[in-house]
Amino acid sequence: MAIGRPRAFDTEKALDQALGVFREKGYEGASLSDLTAAMGINPPSLYAAFGNKEALFGKALDRYAERHAGFYKDALARPTAREAVEALLAGAIDMATDAGSPRGCLLVSGALACGDDADPIRAELTRRRAEGELMLRRRFEQAKREGDLPPDTSPADLARYVTTVLQGMAVQAAGGAGRKDLRRVAETALRVLP
Amino acid sequence: MAIGRPRAFDTEKALDQALGVFREKGYEGASLSDLTAAMGINPPSLYAAFGNKEALFGKALDRYAERHAGFYKDALARPTAREAVEALLAGAIDMATDAGSPRGCLLVSGALACGDDADPIRAELTRRRAEGELMLRRRFEQAKREGDLPPDTSPADLARYVTTVLQGMAVQAAGGAGRKDLRRVAETALRVLP
DNA sequence: GCGTTTGTGTAGCGAGCACTACAGATGGAA
DNA sequence: TTCCATCTGTAGTGCTCGCTACACAAACGC
């Protein structure tokens, strides 16, 4: 055991609570009182364990990626491009409308437009959204090489289209759209696939 | 002329400036210093002319609807459903990537997730997005009655799909996507139409 | 001229923000 | 038992937030 007084709270659980607040209120809308209240700790404990609000958001974002957005990589591993997109849409719908968490997607609603202070956060979220789009594009390029997608397909255009639908569904979910609604959207969106 | 000292600034121009700040930083991210600086007035003038920050946002939102989202109703007036959707997508792309204004759509990036204070704003934006979707649904219902759309079409599902694509494009635009990129997205999205 | 009405600029209000100084508490090491 | 390292709760810090009191300025009718 480490030297010194042991930490009286579970940093993983506290991070989950913080993530919940950030998902619900966004980066700017989440105040430190909101965060400490949800995490069940006092400010000094938060700062000792996580640095500051920006660093806490970064750690919550990493946790979000591995816990709630893990479906993304799994989906891309499906054997065909169509199955991959199906899994992507289904997974995103489940994640964005999960009853246990605030609706929507942290990458979209965390900080779409914000003040100057939060601009690094906005840029990081933008970067991660673009990263996801790039992964999908690579997957489509592979499918094209394998003959799974027709030779006249544009992987870049298709990836941007699917990403746009995913992001639109995040907005819909934030606005209260239900699972059934979004499944129909996904079904319609899938019709463009060959 | 009205009695009393005349107002020394143009309320319409000031409102346009405020709208620009709200589009760039969202409702929460736009501080009163940001607003008064952009509008070229002092706080008391702002409060005398517009009420408070929330009321100012409401007026800016109305102005946004008539000035930058007027394409929406025009698009729905097109003779066919396909033309309507084409005009809708093209208009949204022009609006969201207009060089003279911040990128994106105020209805989407104004307040997707926010603190408790801004919750009425978030709810109002959600309401207006749903309103747009409903208008589109009504247009599809009309098209179905006219035989412009096949009888097995679901106007509700199609409207939600198109709205989702529009909202996704708003997120893409906020992230820096260009006009060409979004035109290709629109082209792909249009393929689901009969 | 005068009084009334309305708008303007200065200057500052209370409240909440992100963040921290500090003293006491709690463990292992010597 | 003492020392030291670390964490904890209390109680703040300075700052910016949205907003306003107040005195002065500029138009009107009389």
Side-chain angles (χ1 to χ4, degrees), chain B residues 92-109:
Chain B
I93 291 169
D94 285 348
M95 194 272 295
T97 63
D98 175 46
S101 315
R103 304 200 149 213
C105 171
L106 185 62
L107 294 189
V108 172
S109 51

Side-chain angles (χ1 to χ4, degrees), chain A residues 1 3-4 15 17-18 43 53 55 60 112 134 138 146 155 163 167 177 179:
Chain A
M1 191 175 184
I3 197 172
L15 198 50
Q17 297 302 315
K53 185 183 174 183
L112 245 201
L134 182 60
R138 297 283 179 242
E146 292 171 346
T163 302
Q167 291 168 354
R179 211 163 275 215

Side-chain angles (χ1 to χ4, degrees), chain A residues 10 14 23 38 51 92 129 136 151 166 171:
Chain A
D10 184 337
R23 285 190 65 177
R129 289 197 306 269
L136 185 54
L166 286 171
V171 176

